[in-house]
mmCIF file of all heavy atoms in Angstrom:
data_model
loop_
_atom_site.group_PDB
_atom_site.id
_atom_site.type_symbol
_atom_site.label_atom_id
_atom_site.label_comp_id
_atom_site.label_asym_id
_atom_site.label_seq_id
_atom_site.Cartn_x
_atom_site.Cartn_y
_atom_site.Cartn_z
ATOM 1 N N ILE A 13 68.089 -93.171 4.846
ATOM 2 C CA ILE A 13 67.035 -92.939 5.839
ATOM 3 C C ILE A 13 67.085 -91.475 6.313
ATOM 4 O O ILE A 13 66.043 -90.792 6.265
ATOM 5 C CB ILE A 13 67.157 -93.933 7.007
ATOM 6 C CG1 ILE A 13 66.892 -95.339 6.553
ATOM 7 C CG2 ILE A 13 66.250 -93.561 8.142
ATOM 8 C CD1 ILE A 13 67.029 -96.400 7.625
ATOM 9 N N PRO A 14 68.216 -90.947 6.794
ATOM 10 C CA PRO A 14 68.226 -89.541 7.207
ATOM 11 C C PRO A 14 67.955 -88.577 6.038
ATOM 12 O O PRO A 14 67.335 -87.529 6.268
ATOM 13 C CB PRO A 14 69.618 -89.337 7.826
ATOM 14 C CG PRO A 14 70.422 -90.425 7.263
ATOM 15 C CD PRO A 14 69.534 -91.578 7.040
ATOM 16 N N LEU A 15 68.396 -88.958 4.809
ATOM 17 C CA LEU A 15 68.135 -88.059 3.662
ATOM 18 C C LEU A 15 66.646 -87.963 3.384
ATOM 19 O O LEU A 15 66.124 -86.871 3.153
ATOM 20 C CB LEU A 15 68.881 -88.616 2.462
ATOM 21 C CG LEU A 15 70.440 -88.525 2.508
ATOM 22 C CD1 LEU A 15 71.044 -89.148 1.267
ATOM 23 C CD2 LEU A 15 70.900 -87.093 2.685
ATOM 24 N N LEU A 16 65.949 -89.127 3.430
ATOM 25 C CA LEU A 16 64.485 -89.102 3.188
ATOM 26 C C LEU A 16 63.818 -88.384 4.331
ATOM 27 O O LEU A 16 62.816 -87.639 4.078
ATOM 28 C CB LEU A 16 64.006 -90.557 3.043
ATOM 29 C CG LEU A 16 64.444 -91.292 1.766
ATOM 30 C CD1 LEU A 16 63.935 -92.752 1.854
ATOM 31 C CD2 LEU A 16 63.909 -90.597 0.568
ATOM 32 N N GLY A 17 64.261 -88.575 5.537
ATOM 33 C CA GLY A 17 63.649 -87.891 6.677
ATOM 34 C C GLY A 17 63.772 -86.384 6.569
ATOM 35 O O GLY A 17 62.823 -85.637 6.818
ATOM 36 N N ALA A 18 64.958 -85.931 6.171
ATOM 37 C CA ALA A 18 65.173 -84.462 5.972
ATOM 38 C C ALA A 18 64.310 -83.934 4.838
ATOM 39 O O ALA A 18 63.745 -82.844 4.927
ATOM 40 C CB ALA A 18 66.657 -84.170 5.718
ATOM 41 N N LEU A 19 64.193 -84.708 3.738
ATOM 42 C CA LEU A 19 63.352 -84.313 2.602
ATOM 43 C C LEU A 19 61.873 -84.183 3.034
ATOM 44 O O LEU A 19 61.246 -83.180 2.710
ATOM 45 C CB LEU A 19 63.512 -85.286 1.469
ATOM 46 C CG LEU A 19 62.612 -85.056 0.252
ATOM 47 C CD1 LEU A 19 62.907 -83.690 -0.370
ATOM 48 C CD2 LEU A 19 62.782 -86.168 -0.778
ATOM 49 N N TRP A 20 61.382 -85.168 3.775
ATOM 50 C CA TRP A 20 59.983 -85.134 4.150
ATOM 51 C C TRP A 20 59.758 -84.014 5.171
ATOM 52 O O TRP A 20 58.717 -83.317 5.140
ATOM 53 C CB TRP A 20 59.555 -86.464 4.778
ATOM 54 C CG TRP A 20 58.083 -86.618 4.880
ATOM 55 C CD1 TRP A 20 57.301 -86.424 5.977
ATOM 56 C CD2 TRP A 20 57.186 -86.907 3.788
ATOM 57 N NE1 TRP A 20 55.965 -86.609 5.667
ATOM 58 C CE2 TRP A 20 55.890 -86.899 4.295
ATOM 59 C CE3 TRP A 20 57.389 -87.164 2.446
ATOM 60 C CZ2 TRP A 20 54.763 -87.156 3.538
ATOM 61 C CZ3 TRP A 20 56.250 -87.427 1.639
ATOM 62 C CH2 TRP A 20 54.981 -87.395 2.199
ATOM 63 N N GLY A 21 60.750 -83.774 6.075
ATOM 64 C CA GLY A 21 60.618 -82.658 6.998
ATOM 65 C C GLY A 21 60.537 -81.333 6.242
ATOM 66 O O GLY A 21 59.761 -80.430 6.637
ATOM 67 N N GLY A 22 61.346 -81.181 5.172
ATOM 68 C CA GLY A 22 61.245 -79.963 4.377
ATOM 69 C C GLY A 22 59.863 -79.820 3.700
ATOM 70 O O GLY A 22 59.299 -78.689 3.652
ATOM 71 N N LEU A 23 59.295 -80.917 3.226
ATOM 72 C CA LEU A 23 57.940 -80.862 2.630
ATOM 73 C C LEU A 23 56.896 -80.441 3.670
ATOM 74 O O LEU A 23 55.958 -79.704 3.386
ATOM 75 C CB LEU A 23 57.581 -82.214 2.025
ATOM 76 C CG LEU A 23 58.444 -82.633 0.780
ATOM 77 C CD1 LEU A 23 58.000 -84.029 0.342
ATOM 78 C CD2 LEU A 23 58.273 -81.631 -0.346
ATOM 79 N N LEU A 24 57.097 -80.915 4.903
ATOM 80 C CA LEU A 24 56.134 -80.550 5.945
ATOM 81 C C LEU A 24 56.209 -79.063 6.238
ATOM 82 O O LEU A 24 55.194 -78.394 6.427
ATOM 83 C CB LEU A 24 56.494 -81.321 7.224
ATOM 84 C CG LEU A 24 56.221 -82.818 7.215
ATOM 85 C CD1 LEU A 24 56.558 -83.477 8.583
ATOM 86 C CD2 LEU A 24 54.762 -83.162 6.877
ATOM 87 N N LEU A 25 57.436 -78.496 6.238
ATOM 88 C CA LEU A 25 57.561 -77.045 6.442
ATOM 89 C C LEU A 25 56.899 -76.274 5.305
ATOM 90 O O LEU A 25 56.266 -75.237 5.516
ATOM 91 C CB LEU A 25 59.071 -76.695 6.547
ATOM 92 C CG LEU A 25 59.760 -77.147 7.859
ATOM 93 C CD1 LEU A 25 61.238 -76.805 7.773
ATOM 94 C CD2 LEU A 25 59.111 -76.508 9.078
ATOM 95 N N VAL A 26 57.120 -76.727 4.052
ATOM 96 C CA VAL A 26 56.521 -76.017 2.930
ATOM 97 C C VAL A 26 54.984 -76.107 3.015
ATOM 98 O O VAL A 26 54.304 -75.099 2.808
ATOM 99 C CB VAL A 26 57.013 -76.614 1.626
ATOM 100 C CG1 VAL A 26 56.287 -76.042 0.411
ATOM 101 C CG2 VAL A 26 58.530 -76.350 1.435
ATOM 102 N N GLY A 27 54.474 -77.306 3.274
ATOM 103 C CA GLY A 27 53.028 -77.444 3.420
ATOM 104 C C GLY A 27 52.447 -76.635 4.548
ATOM 105 O O GLY A 27 51.385 -76.025 4.401
ATOM 106 N N ALA A 28 53.182 -76.551 5.678
ATOM 107 C CA ALA A 28 52.704 -75.734 6.797
ATOM 108 C C ALA A 28 52.647 -74.277 6.400
ATOM 109 O O ALA A 28 51.729 -73.544 6.803
ATOM 110 C CB ALA A 28 53.558 -75.972 8.009
ATOM 111 N N ALA A 29 53.641 -73.796 5.665
ATOM 112 C CA ALA A 29 53.639 -72.413 5.257
ATOM 113 C C ALA A 29 52.473 -72.082 4.342
ATOM 114 O O ALA A 29 51.998 -70.915 4.319
ATOM 115 C CB ALA A 29 54.944 -72.095 4.524
ATOM 116 N N ALA A 30 51.962 -73.073 3.611
ATOM 117 C CA ALA A 30 50.808 -72.909 2.739
ATOM 118 C C ALA A 30 49.493 -73.147 3.472
ATOM 119 O O ALA A 30 48.411 -73.071 2.812
ATOM 120 C CB ALA A 30 50.916 -73.776 1.501
ATOM 121 N N GLY A 31 49.507 -73.380 4.779
ATOM 122 C CA GLY A 31 48.312 -73.655 5.523
ATOM 123 C C GLY A 31 47.870 -75.121 5.594
ATOM 124 O O GLY A 31 46.712 -75.395 5.972
ATOM 125 N N GLY A 32 48.793 -76.029 5.248
ATOM 126 C CA GLY A 32 48.417 -77.443 5.267
ATOM 127 C C GLY A 32 48.364 -78.004 6.700
ATOM 128 O O GLY A 32 48.905 -77.421 7.630
ATOM 129 N N ASP A 33 47.710 -79.160 6.788
ATOM 130 C CA ASP A 33 47.565 -79.736 8.114
ATOM 131 C C ASP A 33 47.632 -81.292 8.112
ATOM 132 O O ASP A 33 47.354 -81.918 9.088
ATOM 133 C CB ASP A 33 46.240 -79.342 8.758
ATOM 134 C CG ASP A 33 45.050 -79.727 7.931
ATOM 135 O OD1 ASP A 33 45.233 -80.353 6.863
ATOM 136 O OD2 ASP A 33 43.879 -79.413 8.329
ATOM 137 N N ASP A 34 48.025 -81.855 6.963
ATOM 138 C CA ASP A 34 48.052 -83.300 6.812
ATOM 139 C C ASP A 34 49.483 -83.812 6.807
ATOM 140 O O ASP A 34 50.264 -83.410 5.919
ATOM 141 C CB ASP A 34 47.316 -83.721 5.510
ATOM 142 C CG ASP A 34 46.995 -85.244 5.505
ATOM 143 O OD1 ASP A 34 47.813 -85.983 6.009
ATOM 144 O OD2 ASP A 34 45.946 -85.586 4.948
ATOM 145 N N LEU A 35 49.831 -84.657 7.743
ATOM 146 C CA LEU A 35 51.166 -85.182 7.873
ATOM 147 C C LEU A 35 51.566 -86.004 6.637
ATOM 148 O O LEU A 35 52.763 -85.990 6.223
ATOM 149 C CB LEU A 35 51.284 -86.032 9.124
ATOM 150 C CG LEU A 35 52.639 -86.700 9.409
ATOM 151 C CD1 LEU A 35 53.691 -85.662 9.647
ATOM 152 C CD2 LEU A 35 52.542 -87.633 10.605
ATOM 153 N N TRP A 36 50.614 -86.752 6.069
ATOM 154 C CA TRP A 36 50.945 -87.642 4.921
ATOM 155 C C TRP A 36 50.701 -87.010 3.568
ATOM 156 O O TRP A 36 51.134 -87.504 2.553
ATOM 157 C CB TRP A 36 50.100 -88.910 5.055
ATOM 158 C CG TRP A 36 50.291 -89.617 6.364
ATOM 159 C CD1 TRP A 36 49.400 -89.721 7.394
ATOM 160 C CD2 TRP A 36 51.504 -90.206 6.855
ATOM 161 N NE1 TRP A 36 49.952 -90.350 8.438
ATOM 162 C CE2 TRP A 36 51.242 -90.698 8.122
ATOM 163 C CE3 TRP A 36 52.778 -90.386 6.311
ATOM 164 C CZ2 TRP A 36 52.223 -91.345 8.941
ATOM 165 C CZ3 TRP A 36 53.711 -91.036 7.056
ATOM 166 C CH2 TRP A 36 53.444 -91.496 8.369
ATOM 167 N N GLN A 37 50.040 -85.869 3.552
ATOM 168 C CA GLN A 37 49.817 -85.099 2.314
ATOM 169 C C GLN A 37 50.151 -83.677 2.545
ATOM 170 O O GLN A 37 49.271 -82.784 2.531
ATOM 171 C CB GLN A 37 48.380 -85.299 1.827
ATOM 172 C CG GLN A 37 48.021 -86.702 1.450
ATOM 173 C CD GLN A 37 46.576 -86.844 0.976
ATOM 174 O OE1 GLN A 37 45.821 -85.901 0.896
ATOM 175 N NE2 GLN A 37 46.210 -88.065 0.621
ATOM 176 N N PRO A 38 51.413 -83.309 2.807
ATOM 177 C CA PRO A 38 51.723 -81.956 3.236
ATOM 178 C C PRO A 38 51.552 -80.913 2.125
ATOM 179 O O PRO A 38 51.318 -79.766 2.417
ATOM 180 C CB PRO A 38 53.211 -82.059 3.619
ATOM 181 C CG PRO A 38 53.726 -83.255 2.864
ATOM 182 C CD PRO A 38 52.567 -84.219 2.789
ATOM 183 N N LEU A 39 51.582 -81.351 0.895
ATOM 184 C CA LEU A 39 51.424 -80.410 -0.240
ATOM 185 C C LEU A 39 49.984 -80.339 -0.728
ATOM 186 O O LEU A 39 49.720 -79.813 -1.818
ATOM 187 C CB LEU A 39 52.357 -80.796 -1.394
ATOM 188 C CG LEU A 39 53.860 -80.841 -1.049
ATOM 189 C CD1 LEU A 39 54.676 -81.204 -2.256
ATOM 190 C CD2 LEU A 39 54.314 -79.509 -0.451
ATOM 191 N N GLN A 40 49.050 -80.851 0.042
ATOM 192 C CA GLN A 40 47.679 -80.857 -0.379
ATOM 193 C C GLN A 40 47.099 -79.451 -0.625
ATOM 194 O O GLN A 40 46.278 -79.305 -1.521
ATOM 195 C CB GLN A 40 46.812 -81.579 0.666
ATOM 196 C CG GLN A 40 45.416 -81.867 0.239
ATOM 197 C CD GLN A 40 44.617 -82.628 1.334
ATOM 198 O OE1 GLN A 40 44.388 -82.115 2.388
ATOM 199 N NE2 GLN A 40 44.257 -83.864 1.056
ATOM 200 N N PRO A 41 47.513 -78.422 0.123
ATOM 201 C CA PRO A 41 46.974 -77.083 -0.194
ATOM 202 C C PRO A 41 47.230 -76.618 -1.622
ATOM 203 O O PRO A 41 46.455 -75.838 -2.158
ATOM 204 C CB PRO A 41 47.702 -76.195 0.804
ATOM 205 C CG PRO A 41 48.042 -77.084 1.949
ATOM 206 C CD PRO A 41 48.341 -78.403 1.330
ATOM 207 N N PHE A 42 48.360 -77.089 -2.216
ATOM 208 C CA PHE A 42 48.626 -76.670 -3.603
ATOM 209 C C PHE A 42 47.721 -77.388 -4.593
ATOM 210 O O PHE A 42 47.635 -76.906 -5.732
ATOM 211 C CB PHE A 42 50.111 -76.950 -3.888
ATOM 212 C CG PHE A 42 51.067 -76.186 -3.050
ATOM 213 C CD1 PHE A 42 51.641 -76.797 -1.916
ATOM 214 C CD2 PHE A 42 51.346 -74.850 -3.312
ATOM 215 C CE1 PHE A 42 52.546 -76.120 -1.132
ATOM 216 C CE2 PHE A 42 52.224 -74.152 -2.487
ATOM 217 C CZ PHE A 42 52.834 -74.766 -1.417
ATOM 218 N N ALA A 43 47.107 -78.482 -4.207
ATOM 219 C CA ALA A 43 46.174 -79.187 -5.071
ATOM 220 C C ALA A 43 44.811 -78.526 -5.027
ATOM 221 O O ALA A 43 43.986 -78.764 -5.906
ATOM 222 C CB ALA A 43 46.077 -80.666 -4.704
ATOM 223 N N GLY A 44 44.495 -77.770 -3.979
ATOM 224 C CA GLY A 44 43.238 -77.053 -3.893
ATOM 225 C C GLY A 44 42.044 -77.917 -3.502
ATOM 226 O O GLY A 44 40.929 -77.463 -3.594
ATOM 227 N N SER A 45 42.282 -79.146 -3.053
ATOM 228 C CA SER A 45 41.103 -80.029 -2.766
ATOM 229 C C SER A 45 40.904 -80.250 -1.302
ATOM 230 O O SER A 45 39.817 -80.565 -0.845
ATOM 231 C CB SER A 45 41.314 -81.404 -3.446
ATOM 232 O OG SER A 45 42.520 -82.017 -2.974
ATOM 233 N N GLY A 46 41.972 -80.025 -0.461
ATOM 234 C CA GLY A 46 41.836 -80.345 0.962
ATOM 235 C C GLY A 46 40.837 -79.475 1.654
ATOM 236 O O GLY A 46 39.993 -79.957 2.340
ATOM 237 N N VAL A 47 40.964 -78.145 1.453
ATOM 238 C CA VAL A 47 40.068 -77.243 2.132
ATOM 239 C C VAL A 47 38.631 -77.440 1.669
ATOM 240 O O VAL A 47 37.691 -77.429 2.469
ATOM 241 C CB VAL A 47 40.518 -75.801 1.932
ATOM 242 C CG1 VAL A 47 39.553 -74.797 2.555
ATOM 243 C CG2 VAL A 47 41.930 -75.574 2.455
ATOM 244 N N GLN A 48 38.480 -77.672 0.372
ATOM 245 C CA GLN A 48 37.098 -77.854 -0.126
ATOM 246 C C GLN A 48 36.440 -79.048 0.473
ATOM 247 O O GLN A 48 35.266 -78.996 0.880
ATOM 248 C CB GLN A 48 37.133 -77.936 -1.667
ATOM 249 C CG GLN A 48 37.587 -76.637 -2.364
ATOM 250 C CD GLN A 48 37.671 -76.775 -3.842
ATOM 251 O OE1 GLN A 48 37.290 -77.806 -4.384
ATOM 252 N NE2 GLN A 48 38.159 -75.766 -4.496
ATOM 253 N N SER A 49 37.109 -80.189 0.515
ATOM 254 C CA SER A 49 36.502 -81.394 1.037
ATOM 255 C C SER A 49 36.166 -81.287 2.513
ATOM 256 O O SER A 49 35.154 -81.742 2.984
ATOM 257 C CB SER A 49 37.450 -82.603 0.790
ATOM 258 O OG SER A 49 38.651 -82.423 1.483
ATOM 259 N N ALA A 50 37.098 -80.624 3.265
ATOM 260 C CA ALA A 50 36.840 -80.423 4.709
ATOM 261 C C ALA A 50 35.631 -79.515 4.931
ATOM 262 O O ALA A 50 34.792 -79.768 5.758
ATOM 263 C CB ALA A 50 38.072 -79.862 5.395
ATOM 264 N N ALA A 51 35.564 -78.473 4.104
ATOM 265 C CA ALA A 51 34.434 -77.551 4.252
ATOM 266 C C ALA A 51 33.120 -78.277 3.869
ATOM 267 O O ALA A 51 32.062 -78.042 4.496
ATOM 268 C CB ALA A 51 34.622 -76.326 3.365
ATOM 269 N N LYS A 52 33.172 -79.125 2.855
ATOM 270 C CA LYS A 52 31.973 -79.844 2.425
ATOM 271 C C LYS A 52 31.512 -80.761 3.495
ATOM 272 O O LYS A 52 30.319 -80.917 3.786
ATOM 273 C CB LYS A 52 32.284 -80.621 1.156
ATOM 274 C CG LYS A 52 31.081 -81.387 0.593
ATOM 275 C CD LYS A 52 31.453 -82.047 -0.709
ATOM 276 C CE LYS A 52 30.229 -82.808 -1.314
ATOM 277 N NZ LYS A 52 30.563 -83.509 -2.558
ATOM 278 N N ALA A 53 32.482 -81.439 4.192
ATOM 279 C CA ALA A 53 32.084 -82.338 5.281
ATOM 280 C C ALA A 53 31.471 -81.562 6.439
ATOM 281 O O ALA A 53 30.498 -82.022 7.031
ATOM 282 C CB ALA A 53 33.325 -83.094 5.777
ATOM 283 N N GLU A 54 32.032 -80.425 6.772
ATOM 284 C CA GLU A 54 31.515 -79.599 7.864
ATOM 285 C C GLU A 54 30.105 -79.057 7.556
ATOM 286 O O GLU A 54 29.255 -79.023 8.399
ATOM 287 C CB GLU A 54 32.454 -78.452 8.159
ATOM 288 C CG GLU A 54 32.070 -77.603 9.348
ATOM 289 C CD GLU A 54 33.063 -76.538 9.692
ATOM 290 O OE1 GLU A 54 34.134 -76.492 8.998
ATOM 291 O OE2 GLU A 54 32.858 -75.732 10.606
#
């Protein structure tokens, strides 16, 4: 449990550094689809 928590916390930091904003998909900025879909909705 603490190992998985630390791993997920690290992924959140990496995703935040790339401009991510999704708790459940922290690496979404590297896929290139998150910003596009949000912009399309707006």
Side-chain angles (χ1 to χ4, degrees):
I13 294 179
L15 293 177
L16 291 176
L19 175 61
W20 195 259
L23 293 177
L24 293 181
L25 289 176
V26 173
D33 58 1
D34 194 325
L35 179 65
W36 304 112
Q37 298 180 359
L39 301 182
Q40 191 179 63
F42 298 99
S45 60
V47 176
Q48 294 178 5
S49 61
K52 183 177 180 181
E54 185 176 356

